[in-house]
Amino acid sequence: MIQAIGLTSVPRRHQPPVVDDLTFEARPGRVTVLLGEPGAGKTAALRLLLRLDPGRGVTLFRGRTLDRIPHPTREIGVMLGDVPGHPSRTARSHLRMLSAAAGVPVERADDVLEVVGLSGLADQRLGDFSLGMDRRLGLASALLGDPHTLVLDDPAHGLSPRETAWLHGLLRGYAAQGGAVLVTSRDAKEAGRIGDQVVTIDQGRLIADQDAAAFTGCRLRPRVTVQSPLANRLAHVLAAESDTADEATGGPSVEVVHEGGSRISVYGSTCAAVGEAAFRHGILVHRLAEEAGDTGPVTPLQRADGRPADTPADEAAAPEKTVPRPTTDAGEGPGGRLTAPGPVWPLRYELRRTTGVRTGWNVAAAALAASLVASVLLARTDASPSLRLLTGWPVWLPLPPAAFAAGLLGALAFGQEFRYPALAPDQGTVPRRLGLLGAKLVVTAGAALLLAVASAGLDAAVLRLLFGRSAVLFADGWGVPLAGWAGLVLGCAWAGLLAAGLFRSTALGLVAVLAVPTVVVPVLGGLLSRPAARSLIGLPERLRSAAVVQWPAGLDQGVAAALRLMSQPTGWALALALAGLLGAYVLTVFRGRPR
């Protein structure tokens, strides 16, 4: 059940609020339609409902606010507008990625694909989907967590009549199982066809809250639509006959409305009466049809993959096929709902998101190729230090290719997590966002370290092959420089990740990565070049003597190497940039927590 109380959006300058003190309910077992013309505030109301936009008011889902629900995506299914997704992903991989984010088994993706009729197109790329297939995929995404509530923004807009009939049948079946369905619509006839309760709004304000029977009686008046080349003459005839009949019987009059062109609508009459009047006066009629509050039965629809539907025609209006409940090792909670997912579900999601498309692989391949070319060109000059040869880092470049690529991968790590409609309810939950951040840091670190090792190893192998032993790559004490190289690549990756997550922009993530060597390093270099009154020399020995448990002697060398790395301007710059970005990210998360 959804209870929206006093929803009010933040007004723009010199403009009234888009949604103004809106209160309504969507009860379980019923389809509630939020009806209004384009611009009436329907989408804004849903975004306020889900805490996606700032505003005032309270929304309760089964008596709880959104921030009190542990895993909102598993209790509230959402489809807002278009269904975003990487065009190169397949339908199955897209849903498996979202299922990992929602904490449900990956087999759930195949279950919901079967429900919406896309199982035959599971390996089709999203870029090849039609609008109707996109809507089916959006419904599959909303149904992944077996939610008790569906919130859909104008799901039938732009669909064919048969696709619309299929959608209405699915929503009716969902409500028949006890789920609460809230949809928006701009068409009064569609609202009368599908809705059990119709909430009409205009300019963000509540106009009427009616059940289907009351709405049909006052909004969907029975009428006869007529199309004729002599529409004006027929309208005059019908009006004259109505006036004559009113004087004789005193009954209700017939109302004729010109719809434009050759079309008229006749209220208070029947097709038979209109047809007989046209016949008596020799008026040609091209179309004659009755339209009433009863919009007719829902017709069956074939599957989107071309296979015939499983349900017979007389069962399409109320399909018996239910959404299968997923199973999990954690078992099921009360009412058959799934219990809380394990702690590794953000990591599963991030792994599927990263490896599901070729973008990351292409970036890594381009970085390895650029690093190799730069190493070969530097080796021909025979004037570059061995570490720059090994990493392909010319002096005039602010960052080596591998480090720049790692920063780009980090900036790309924040894709469209909070733009996916299926994950929209989770935008305001702090634990989920911090868990997702931790998973991204782990996966990005692994990718960055692999890229650093692969780049150095490939460059060393090719240089040794081309130039033999004349290319001195590993001098004495090479462990510390290589550790610094790995730390540089890792720091760039994390800087790009945190900046992109903080500013929600890949471009700004790259700007933050490039700002470290071009802005922060020169500033810190000037500060660190000044003589210090005290130094950290001997710190590893003092730490070892103060420790309760004595560590091995070789660990002193590691601590000393770490201190030498941190004493460099680049190390300080990365450390300060990462600390600042992480603090700003966490502060933004907590400040954005719903109240």
Side-chain angles (χ1 to χ4, degrees):
M1 179 176 181
I2 303 176
Q3 296 171 291
I5 306 169
L7 295 182
T8 304
S9 60
V10 176
R12 299 177 181 176
R13 180 177 298 180
H14 306 303
Q15 295 290 334
V18 179
V19 179
D20 190 2
D21 196 19
L22 181 61
T23 300
F24 65 92
E25 290 184 353
R27 297 183 176 274
R30 297 169 65 87
V31 178
T32 303
V33 181
L34 195 61
L35 177 65
E37 298 294 329
K42 304 184 299 296
T43 301
L46 295 190
R47 294 186 65 84
L48 285 173
L49 199 80
L50 298 169
R51 292 295 185 185
L52 301 179
D53 290 340
R56 299 193 302 271
V58 177
T59 304
L60 302 178
F61 298 89
R62 296 206 296 186
R64 298 171 297 171
T65 57
L66 196 61
D67 57 314
R68 298 284 184 179
I69 302 175
H71 303 285
T73 54
R74 306 180 62 178
E75 299 193 29
I76 306 166
V78 177
M79 185 172 74
L80 300 177
D82 295 333
V83 183
H86 199 288
S88 65
R89 290 190 192 275
T90 64
R92 178 181 284 116
S93 65
H94 178 75
L95 290 178
R96 286 186 173 182
M97 179 188 68
L98 294 181
S99 67
V104 299
V106 294
E107 295 79 8
R108 180 68 174 167
D110 294 324
D111 293 339
V112 293
L113 283 173
E114 179 67 26
V115 169
V116 301
L118 287 178
S119 57
L121 299 175
D123 296 321
Q124 189 80 13
R125 296 182 183 276
L126 300 188
D128 299 330
F129 272 22
S130 64
L131 178 60
M133 295 176 185
D134 276 342
R135 295 301 168 86
R136 290 175 185 252
L137 182 65
L139 277 175
S141 302
L143 294 171
L144 267 176
D146 189 23
H148 59 71
T149 302
L150 284 181
V151 179
L152 312 175
D153 185 19
D154 207 358
H157 179 59
L159 299 184
S160 67
R162 292 180 64 82
E163 291 277 358
T164 302
W166 170 84
L167 173 65
H168 291 174
L170 180 65
L171 297 182
R172 280 287 188 186
Y174 182 87
Q177 300 173 40
V181 181
L182 175 62
V183 299
T184 64
S185 177
R186 64 185 69 185
D187 186 359
K189 291 189 293 184
E190 180 189 22
R193 177 187 300 119
I194 187 179
D196 299 305
Q197 192 79 13
V198 181
V199 179
T200 306
I201 65 174
D202 184 33
Q203 296 182 356
R205 287 181 171 271
L206 180 66
I207 301 299
D209 191 348
Q210 306 161 295
D211 59 23
F215 173 79
T216 299
C218 70
R219 180 75 178 265
L220 298 179
R221 298 168 54 193
R223 68 178 183 178
V224 178
T225 59
V226 184
Q227 187 170 358
S228 169
L230 303 175
N232 293 332
R233 181 184 171 190
L234 179 59
H236 177 74
V237 168
L238 293 174
E241 290 188 355
S242 174
D243 293 340
T244 304
D246 291 345
E247 294 176 359
T249 63
S253 62
V254 174
E255 180 183 355
V256 182
V257 178
H258 291 268
E259 302 290 349
S262 60
R263 295 184 59 187
I264 61 173
S265 295
V266 184
Y267 294 90
S269 185
T270 63
C271 278
V274 174
E276 290 173 0
F279 178 76
R280 286 194 303 269
H281 293 83
I283 299 176
L284 177 64
V285 174
H286 289 166
R287 182 177 182 270
L288 189 65
E290 282 188 353
E291 294 181 355
D294 182 10
T295 53
V298 178
T299 57
L301 180 71
Q302 287 192 352
R303 303 169 59 90
D305 52 21
R307 293 187 291 161
D310 297 330
T311 55
D314 57 353
E315 296 179 6
E320 297 294 332
K321 189 172 183 178
T322 61
V323 180
R325 295 288 174 86
T327 58
T328 178
D329 296 338
E332 295 188 356
R337 302 291 171 180
L338 291 174
T339 57
V344 298
W345 59 272
L347 189 61
R348 290 195 298 123
Y349 161 75
E350 182 60 21
L351 287 173
R352 290 187 179 277
R353 189 205 63 80
T354 304
T355 59
V357 294
R358 295 192 297 268
T359 303
W361 304 105
N362 293 338
V363 170
L368 292 177
S371 177
L372 181 60
V373 172
S375 295
V376 173
L377 294 178
L378 288 175
R380 289 178 59 86
T381 63
D382 198 22
S384 300
S386 59
L387 185 60
R388 289 191 174 270
L389 288 178
L390 196 63
T391 59
W393 189 1
V395 179
W396 48 269
L397 274 182
L399 286 174
F404 180 79
L408 178 58
L409 291 177
L412 292 173
F414 266 100
Q416 295 181 317
E417 284 81 11
F418 302 117
R419 299 178 187 175
Y420 290 128
L423 303 182
D426 267 337
Q427 286 201 17
T429 54
V430 175
R432 183 209 171 325
R433 295 180 67 179
L434 292 180
L436 180 63
L437 174 64
K440 288 182 177 296
L441 289 174
V442 171
V443 174
T444 305
L449 293 178
L450 286 177
L451 184 60
V453 172
S455 174
L458 180 63
D459 291 350
V462 173
L463 290 179
R464 182 58 59 90
L465 177 65
L466 293 178
F467 302 102
R469 297 185 176 274
S470 61
V472 180
L473 301 177
F474 298 100
D476 295 337
W478 56 269
V480 173
L482 286 184
W485 159 245
L488 174 65
V489 176
L490 176 61
C492 289
W494 279 357
L497 167 66
L498 293 172
L502 180 63
F503 300 111
R504 294 295 189 267
S505 171
T506 301
L508 292 179
L510 283 177
V511 169
V513 173
L514 293 176
V516 172
T518 57
V519 178
V520 183
V521 169
V523 173
L524 287 179
L527 294 176
L528 295 176
S529 62
R530 300 175 182 175
R534 297 175 177 85
S535 68
L536 298 177
I537 298 176
L539 178 60
E541 292 79 4
R542 292 193 294 272
L543 290 175
R544 183 181 181 185
S545 62
V548 177
V549 178
Q550 299 298 319
W551 60 63
L555 193 59
D556 293 343
Q557 300 177 359
V559 175
L563 291 175
R564 285 198 302 272
L565 292 176
M566 290 297 298
S567 65
Q568 300 298 320
T570 303
W572 276 108
L574 280 176
L576 290 177
L578 291 176
L581 289 172
L582 182 59
Y585 183 92
V586 174
L587 179 62
T588 302
V589 168
F590 278 93
R591 288 190 63 184
R593 185 175 184 176
R595 293 175 292 178

